[in-house]
Amino acid sequence: MTASPGAEHVPAASHGAGRELTVATYHVLTRLPLDQAVSAIAGEQSTGTFVSVAGETDELRARHGAVVLGMTEIPAPVAEALPGAAGDGPLTAGLVRIGFPLGNTGPSLTNVLPVVAGNLFELRELAGLKLVDLDLPAAFGEAYLPARFAVEGTRRLAGRPDGVLIGTIVKPNVGLRPSDYVDLVLELGLSGADFIKDDEVNGDCPPAPLPQRVRAVTGALDEVERRTGRRPMYAFNISDEPDRMLANHDLVVAAGGTCVMVNLNVVGLPAVAMLRRHSRVPIHGHVTGTGALFRHPGIGIAHVAYQKLARLAGVDHLHCGGFHSKFYVTDDDVQQAVAAVREPLLGGFPCLPVLSSAQWAGTAPVTLERTGTSDLLVLAGGGVLGHPDGPAAGITSIRQAWTAAEAGVPLAEVREPELARALRHFGGVVRR
């Protein structure tokens, strides 16, 4: 084995001789000996560089060097190496656990992200690398605020104490004027929607700037509440530069809004943590852009690892894909993502899983079967707005489908007209 500077190999049981560690689990792909590639990661991301330097003493490495805790060969997830990978041997893959001393980063998202998911992706020793899981020391749980609302708080604010939460997305996602929002939100609210949200591509931008949109939407929500006694939750997309994002939050709260949405990868997770310290309403976490991290098995970050960081930042709701999705994700991917979000993190950090992408009444049975819970926010854009009898029938059809699924009744046996129409209409266009 040729170890690069900074690398230290120890038995997994020793866990770095008593040091507190952030443990990152990777799928590593290389054309070099696996241990050489892994040593390059451990060295580059802690005390080492491409050559020995005078300051890298044995004592410094003992305190701050990364620790290779485990390394097992696995089948290669892809057959092609990343561009620029060194070596001419066959591709070898490994499931690798590396511990990075907490003393190098402290309990800080800003500091730990460059360590576990930074320049290591550029290393020539690697023909592929994916961060698949992350175990954080307890100090992170003490340094960050968990979601204030999560499942129970969202249910309370949305007026839906039990059963699946059903929501939709404003469509068309761009091009609507403030007056258009009034009409659409009023219709959706009166149709029984629990949750409505801005699209990720529509923040504070023309032709409906956020201040105008907030006034229009909250006015419509006031009217829905006056007429029905229930006030749907509306997630306003406040994504922006950090100072403006806080001002956008305050604008929403002052107008009576009960939820804000942020594009997590646009604003950055440390900025989300800042928003959490400031926020008085739930934070809806949208994962736009994460396909670049999640999709390719040979590079990036897996949802299981990512969701821990997002929850640590304090999001109340987190997107997990959708069963029978229009996107690339498999049902197995989505099942794993939902299960991970529902698993306690550092003893807490609850979060409401969000399902979206081609969701409609027909996806209720597979969703319940795969997740085993109704503590979910299901967002159906076309599945609500595209129902041939209108949004009210779309929402009603989804509720009917969930009632049937929970009772173990096949949807085809339900005689409710809204569900029957949905099955005829969407069943002819949805393919799996």
Side-chain angles (χ1 to χ4, degrees):
M1 178 189 73
T2 304
S4 60
E8 178 185 354
H9 288 260
V10 299
S14 74
H15 288 276
R19 293 179 295 172
E20 282 195 277
L21 302 174
T22 294
V23 180
T25 302
Y26 300 100
H27 286 166
V28 176
L29 191 67
T30 185
R31 287 187 174 129
L32 303 173
L34 182 59
D35 57 357
Q36 180 179 343
V38 172
S39 293
I41 298 172
E44 179 72 23
Q45 300 306 111
S46 61
T47 64
T49 183
F50 71 101
V51 295
S52 295
V53 296
E56 191 188 2
T57 64
D58 290 342
E59 187 273 336
L60 185 138
R61 277 196 300 269
R63 287 187 289 113
H64 297 285
V67 185
V68 180
L69 300 172
M71 187 167 51
T72 305
E73 285 199 23
I74 59 173
V78 293
E80 185 176 348
L82 292 174
D88 55 9
L91 287 175
T92 301
L95 180 68
V96 177
R97 296 174 65 246
I98 300 177
F100 299 98
L102 180 64
N104 292 3
T105 64
S108 163
L109 282 171
T110 305
N111 291 340
V112 80
L113 275 165
V115 171
V116 301
N119 276 352
L120 66 173
F121 293 108
E122 284 85 5
L123 290 171
R124 287 186 176 274
E125 287 89 346
L126 304 179
L129 184 74
K130 191 144 192 129
L131 174 64
V132 296
D133 205 351
L134 196 60
D135 294 312
L136 297 158
F140 278 88
E142 299 163 3
Y144 286 91
L145 295 174
R148 176 176 290 170
F149 296 90
V151 180
E152 295 307 317
T154 297
R155 286 192 176 281
R156 175 174 51 80
L157 289 173
R160 182 68 60 183
D162 51 45
V164 68
L165 290 150
I166 298 173
T168 189
I169 308 99
V170 170
K171 299 289 183 181
N173 50 0
V174 294
L176 297 179
R177 299 162 300 178
S179 59
D180 298 322
Y181 279 84
V182 173
D183 296 337
L184 183 58
V185 171
L186 187 61
E187 181 179 19
L188 290 170
L190 295 176
S191 298
D194 299 315
F195 185 96
I196 311 165
K197 75 176 224 22
D198 285 338
D199 197 83
E200 70 276 6
V201 302
N202 193 13
D204 185 12
C205 53
L210 185 63
Q212 296 179 30
R213 193 163 76 248
V214 168
R215 287 194 297 271
V217 168
T218 54
L221 294 174
D222 290 342
E223 179 64 14
V224 170
E225 186 174 19
R226 186 187 69 79
R227 292 166 63 174
T228 68
R230 294 183 66 249
R231 186 181 187 87
M233 179 175 284
Y234 190 104
F236 293 95
N237 183 359
I238 65 167
S239 305
D240 214 319
E241 285 81 10
D243 57 337
R244 293 183 62 183
M245 187 164 64
L246 296 185
N248 290 344
H249 162 276
D250 294 347
L251 171 72
V252 169
V253 172
T258 59
C259 189
V260 294
M261 172 181 133
V262 288
N263 291 328
L264 304 179
N265 299 299
V266 174
V267 305
L269 292 178
V272 178
M274 176 195 67
L275 175 63
R276 166 62 187 92
R277 292 189 294 271
H278 180 82
S279 184
R280 294 165 50 193
V281 295
I283 301 170
H284 184 86
H286 198 289
V287 296
T288 184
T290 46
L293 301 176
F294 296 169
R295 186 168 188 174
H296 197 281
I299 191 168
I301 302 175
H303 192 284
V304 169
Y306 180 90
Q307 59 89 23
K308 291 183 178 180
L309 299 168
R311 288 164 64 193
L312 196 68
V315 297
D316 296 271
H317 316 150
L318 185 66
H319 283 241
C320 297
F323 294 101
H324 294 3
S325 171
K326 67 183 180 185
F327 294 143
Y328 75 94
V329 291
T330 67
D331 286 353
D332 287 344
D333 294 333
V334 179
Q335 181 175 351
Q336 183 185 39
V338 172
V341 170
R342 298 184 70 227
E343 185 74 20
L345 172 64
L346 297 172
F349 290 86
C351 188
L352 176 64
V354 180
L355 299 175
S356 62
S357 171
Q359 302 305 286
W360 63 291
T363 55
V366 66
T367 303
L368 181 61
E369 178 186 357
R370 288 281 192 147
T371 66
T373 184
S374 60
D375 280 338
L376 303 168
L377 172 56
V378 175
L379 299 180
V384 167
L385 298 171
H387 192 287
D389 295 329
I395 291 169
T396 299
S397 72
I398 298 173
R399 291 206 191 283
Q400 292 165 346
W402 271 86
T403 298
E406 290 171 332
V409 177
L411 300 191
E413 297 180 8
V414 178
R415 295 293 176 256
E416 301 287 354
E418 296 87 356
L419 178 55
R421 284 275 280 170
L423 294 175
R424 288 196 301 271
H425 180 70
F426 295 110
V429 297
V430 175
R431 294 288 182 264
R432 184 62 178 168

